[in-house]
Amino acid sequence: MAGETAWISHYDEDMKKETVDFNLELDEEIDKDGSAVSVDIILPDDLLERILSYLPIASIFRASCVCKRWHATSERFLLNPSHLLPQKPWYFMFTSSDEPTGHAYDPNLRKWYCIELPFVGTSNWSISSSYGLVCFMDNDSSFMDNDSRTELCLCNPITKSCRKLQKPPGMSSDYGALAISVDKETHDYTVAIVKSKQVPGNFFQWDISIHIYNSKEEAWVTPLTEVLTGWRGGEESVICNGVLYFVVYYTGGVPPENRHALVAYNISNQFSQASLSFIHIPCSLTCARLMNMKEKLVMVGGIGKLDRPDIIKGIGIWVLRDKKWEEIVRMPHKYFQGFGEFDDVFGSSGVDDLIYIQSYGSPALLTFDMNIKQWKWSQKCPVTKKFPLQLFTGFCFEPRLETAP
Amino acid sequence: MAQEASSSTSSKTISLKTGDGEIFEIEASAAKQMKTVQRLIDDLGDDITIPLHNVFSKELPKIIEYYKKDITGEITKDFEAEFVKDLNDDEVKVLFLAANYLDANKLFEFLSQNIADRLESKSVEYVRKYFGVENDFTPEEESKLREERAWSFRGIKEDE
């Protein structure tokens, strides 16, 4: 048929694409009203890739089930996500405190997916994530005598690849904070653990030790041990731009300024005698959480009332610039109220431009987009509170296929 | 010999002839946005009716409409939403392929996004039909794949 050959010949001449893997499959369907003949065209690879590049990850997964060629193209595509439009990070919410099950929220599609984490750990573990990898640490070593029974596991929640990491050496600790950082180019990763242990017989002194694991060397080093007076580490830390930040808490009675402070430790300088530097925290904060937002240190915390610092009157977001905190925004009252029973316990977690805030007492999830400065409720999580004291926690992570533990 | 088509004023129009023999006029500045057309103008001259064998009278007017808006800088999200509102999935596909053939980048990108949006919630079977793709997985292979990716098939949507 004339139409058919015209397609092929002009396609070859005019198209600048190198190899046109092009089959013309004539599937004539005369429309009911007898007009045009519809011709099904098989997309060449480059056009297919173009369309795939606009799809969110979950859809690309499904696209890989269409046929073998699509499977190959999707896989190639998923492993080379520089072609993909930037995806907003997801949020995993535990729906049980005893099992690693939960729902993952995809803000790109506003959908919740049922995802099982590929290992046996629970929401009580410390969690840190970076570039698609999520690191879990079981802190429950308070009853152990010598051996630190810290269990460490690294996984990619999407691909389900999982790996147990050897434990950091040393004594058990009273508190441990976990942070992971993945190099975007090499996919090597650094895991940092800050351990705090009360010096026996002394209420005010705490042994702080920093342990760093490097995936290239596959070994732990302990570049710093120090004794802090009046301050102890907790469970909140993050690595940002090669610096390990962790929150410390005043233990000396009435605090000089605020009950919390921030400590910074330059990881990249671990071979030159880097020490800890203290950074003020803008005001008395509850549930302070640190996050790496495009290599800027951001902190979310509940602003306590002056006379009752354990009662929150608001939630604020700050960014650290040149060792000074800049307040970005405060949660508008209507959202603050929308959490309902906002126990003073809430969690927050964020990546890139998106921050997730969740009250422990309910599965409501609020997002703040730092780029467009917009607050938005997520699509409601399909889980209900089964008993009054049920807690909901979660963490933010990037859905990536190309990183593996 | 290539004429200086690029120095045409904006009032100059180019004649385009579709694969089914119809002729449409388009402003030279709009034609510039379609690289294939521009190349043909460069080769054949801007006084000659440019043949577009692979584009037909059903879709070319729509493409011309888009670029008419583009040269006046009036393409907005609302315009684009309106542009595709009444098109069914097949019509969008035809436009998409035409935009690709014409190397009309802006329209092509917009339609890529639109097709992706339309397909994002469709079933695998629909997508196969849409692109005329044969399923060459064995039933076992396919069910294994679907199981591995089960979570992406069972998006739990909140009842709206």
Side-chain angles (χ1 to χ4, degrees):
Chain A
M1 273 147 255
E4 180 187 352
T5 35
W7 252 106
I8 297 178
S9 63
H10 280 274
Y11 210 97
D12 286 337
E13 281 167 40
D14 299 334
M15 288 299 104
K16 288 265 167 147
K17 332 287 181 197
E18 293 90 22
T19 47
V20 178
D21 177 19
F22 183 63
N23 295 315
L24 183 59
E25 193 184 288
L26 257 193
D27 184 8
E28 291 186 62
E29 281 177 30
I30 309 291
D31 279 3
K32 292 188 183 66
D33 60 12
S35 55
V37 170
S38 114
V39 177
D40 279 326
I41 313 286
I42 295 183
L43 281 190
D45 271 347
D46 56 347
L47 292 193
L48 170 60
E49 284 190 16
R50 177 61 74 106
I51 292 184
L52 286 183
S53 73
Y54 285 98
L55 285 175
I57 286 203
S59 304
I60 300 182
F61 263 91
R62 288 206 304 275
S64 70
C65 299
V66 166
C67 69
K68 288 186 179 165
R69 186 169 76 96
W70 279 52
H71 185 264
T73 307
S74 305
E75 294 287 287
R76 215 172 43 231
F77 217 74
L78 287 168
L79 293 173
N80 230 325
S82 49
H83 301 306
L84 288 176
L85 291 183
Q87 308 254 327
K88 290 195 194 142
W90 291 17
Y91 186 84
F92 181 88
M93 188 187 297
F94 287 97
T95 47
S96 146
S97 18
D98 316 312
E99 268 136 64
T101 51
H103 296 321
Y105 182 63
D106 173 0
N108 305 288
L109 290 177
R110 293 181 69 74
K111 266 189 176 161
W112 285 92
Y113 294 107
C114 197
I115 289 199
E116 222 178 273
L117 296 175
F119 76 104
V120 183
T122 68
S123 56
N124 299 319
W125 292 37
S126 288
I127 301 173
S128 174
S129 103
S130 168
Y131 210 66
L133 290 187
V134 186
C135 189
F136 298 82
M137 175 170 77
D138 178 7
N139 252 328
D140 221 353
S141 57
S142 33
F143 300 114
M144 297 297 132
D145 287 346
N146 304 320
D147 255 350
S148 159
R149 294 259 295 199
T150 312
E151 273 214 53
L152 261 182
C153 183
L154 199 51
C155 82
N156 180 322
I158 304 277
T159 65
K160 309 272 189 273
S161 60
C162 182
R163 189 181 154 212
K164 272 213 158 75
L165 288 185
Q166 55 170 149
K167 303 156 262 184
M171 305 283 283
S172 66
S173 57
D174 296 319
Y175 296 92
L178 174 72
I180 181 176
S181 175
V182 176
D183 184 309
K184 296 184 169 54
E185 316 282 315
T186 63
H187 297 175
D188 293 325
Y189 51 87
T190 301
V191 179
I193 295 182
V194 184
K195 291 198 200 180
S196 304
K197 188 164 173 68
Q198 195 166 34
V199 171
N202 186 324
F203 287 130
F204 303 123
Q205 295 212 310
W206 290 77
D207 277 317
I208 308 284
S209 54
I210 294 181
H211 310 265
I212 310 278
Y213 178 89
N214 191 294
S215 65
K216 268 202 304 254
E217 277 109 64
E218 293 202 8
W220 287 96
V221 294
T222 303
L224 182 132
T225 51
E226 213 169 284
V227 176
L228 290 186
T229 303
W231 296 91
R232 63 158 177 86
E235 288 168 2
E236 190 56 30
S237 72
V238 79
I239 297 175
C240 199
N241 235 344
V243 179
L244 172 66
Y245 295 94
F246 55 99
V247 180
V248 292
Y249 305 81
Y250 194 72
T251 64
V254 177
E257 253 185 68
N258 293 316
R259 295 180 300 147
H260 318 105
L262 187 71
V263 172
Y265 175 74
N266 195 327
I267 301 185
S268 18
N269 265 344
Q270 56 180 274
F271 296 114
S272 72
Q273 290 274 311
S275 57
L276 305 175
S277 51
F278 271 67
I279 300 173
H280 289 313
I281 281 196
C283 59
S284 203
L285 291 180
T286 62
C287 306
R289 294 279 189 277
L290 302 173
M291 46 205 89
N292 177 335
M293 311 289 286
K294 292 189 162 146
E295 299 309 323
K296 291 211 171 44
L297 178 67
V298 166
M299 179 171 62
V300 179
I303 300 160
K305 295 189 168 184
L306 278 173
D307 50 341
R308 293 287 309 275
D310 54 327
I311 295 191
I312 311 180
K313 60 178 185 182
I315 292 183
I317 302 180
W318 291 263
V319 66
L320 188 71
R321 276 194 234 278
D322 297 323
K323 301 229 162 114
K324 288 204 195 69
W325 292 103
E326 236 176 69
E327 184 174 316
I328 297 181
V329 75
R330 294 240 173 149
M331 187 187 287
H333 200 56
K334 66 173 181 184
Y335 294 105
F336 189 65
Q337 284 187 309
F339 275 103
E341 38 161 298
F342 217 137
D343 310 351
D344 62 340
V345 188
F346 68 93
S348 54
S349 183
V351 169
D352 282 345
D353 281 322
L354 200 60
I355 296 180
Y356 288 92
I357 298 182
Q358 179 180 20
S359 163
Y360 277 21
S362 104
L365 187 63
L366 183 62
T367 64
F368 178 70
D369 186 321
M370 301 242 296
N371 200 19
I372 55 179
K373 302 277 192 292
Q374 188 188 65
W375 295 93
K376 204 168 177 184
W377 288 108
S378 76
Q379 203 67 4
K380 192 161 170 293
C381 182
V383 66
T384 46
K385 196 162 175 164
K386 295 192 187 76
F387 52 92
L389 294 179
Q390 183 176 9
L391 295 181
F392 298 92
T393 59
F395 58 90
C396 180
F397 70 100
E398 293 169 72
R400 290 183 177 281
L401 279 89
E402 71 275 27
T403 41
Chain B
M1 190 179 82
Q3 295 195 8
E4 291 300 331
S6 51
S7 62
S8 316
T9 62
S10 56
S11 55
K12 175 120 178 99
T13 58
I14 309 282
S15 295
L16 303 176
K17 184 168 173 192
T18 64
D20 49 343
E22 278 197 45
I23 303 208
F24 294 89
E25 302 287 318
I26 183 176
E27 304 204 17
S29 45
K32 259 182 143 152
Q33 306 300 323
M34 304 182 214
K35 300 215 190 86
T36 303
V37 174
Q38 190 58 52
R39 276 194 294 272
L40 289 168
I41 292 175
D42 291 344
D43 289 341
L44 305 170
D46 57 3
D47 288 326
I48 301 206
T49 302
I50 308 290
L52 298 175
H53 297 283
N54 289 346
V55 184
F56 298 85
S57 54
K58 193 151 185 258
E59 55 266 19
L60 188 56
K62 202 74 173 145
I63 297 175
I64 292 177
E65 179 197 329
Y66 186 87
Y67 277 102
K68 242 197 177 112
K69 269 286 194 205
D70 185 42
I71 54 180
T72 58
E74 281 172 25
I75 295 200
T76 60
K77 285 274 180 246
D78 286 337
F79 169 75
E80 285 184 332
E82 201 50 45
F83 187 78
V84 290
K85 196 171 71 143
D86 296 323
L87 298 176
N88 66 32
D89 291 348
D90 282 321
E91 287 165 335
V92 171
K93 183 173 67 177
V94 167
L95 269 182
F96 169 73
L97 292 169
N100 179 52
Y101 168 73
L102 292 170
D103 210 344
N105 202 46
K106 196 163 178 172
L107 178 62
F108 179 70
E109 296 221 351
F110 164 53
L111 293 175
S112 305
Q113 174 77 73
N114 190 249
I115 291 184
D117 292 343
R118 286 164 187 253
L119 293 182
E120 162 260 293
S121 56
K122 295 286 201 297
S123 69
V124 170
E125 290 76 18
Y126 182 93
V127 172
R128 282 180 188 140
K129 256 189 85 189
Y130 189 69
F131 290 111
V133 167
E134 192 79 39
N135 177 13
D136 53 354
F137 285 122
T138 66
E140 295 81 26
E141 284 170 342
E142 183 171 353
S143 72
K144 180 160 180 281
L145 258 185
R146 280 180 184 252
E147 215 188 286
E148 276 172 20
R149 280 121 214 255
W151 63 268
S152 67
F153 282 93
R154 283 194 313 254
I156 312 165
K157 229 181 171 154
E158 165 74 359
D159 294 323
E160 264 145 12

